[in-house]
Amino acid sequence: QVNFEGLFECLGVKLVVSLWECLLKESRVMLVSKNLGTLTSAVASATGMINPFTWQHILIPVLPQSMLDYCTAPMPFLI
């Protein structure tokens, strides 16, 4: 079961709808947070929000700063 409450608290309704749209359009999406718990919860909520579909592209829940070069990948991702 996915908890969307934290995602709506952090982003607000307009940004959550924009995130949902980007995921359905298979865009490159990067979520950033100083709090690791908030970040992992947001990524889980983002993947759950496209249910009954599943994210078939690159999914990296937590990306270390030393690996930011992965964000230049030319394919859809959720990081």
Side-chain angles (χ1 to χ4, degrees):
Q1 182 176 352
V2 180
N3 181 5
F4 296 106
E5 183 179 343
L7 190 64
F8 279 95
E9 285 177 4
C10 292
L11 299 179
V13 175
K14 285 185 179 182
L15 286 178
V16 169
V17 171
S18 292
L19 173 63
W20 180 67
E21 179 184 10
C22 289
L23 292 172
L24 290 179
K25 290 164 91 176
E26 298 181 337
S27 301
R28 294 185 287 175
V29 177
M30 177 186 273
L31 300 175
V32 179
S33 176
K34 291 181 181 181
N35 184 316
L36 185 60
T38 302
L39 179 63
T40 55
S41 175
V43 171
S45 296
T47 57
M49 128 175 18
I50 60 172
N51 191 21
F53 305 112
T54 57
W55 186 253
Q56 296 292 319
H57 305 287
I58 297 172
L59 173 63
I60 304 175
V62 179
L63 183 70
Q65 190 171 3
S66 62
M67 300 177 72
L68 281 177
D69 290 341
Y70 282 84
C71 297
T72 61
M75 68 258 323
F77 59 71
L78 175 56
I79 296 177

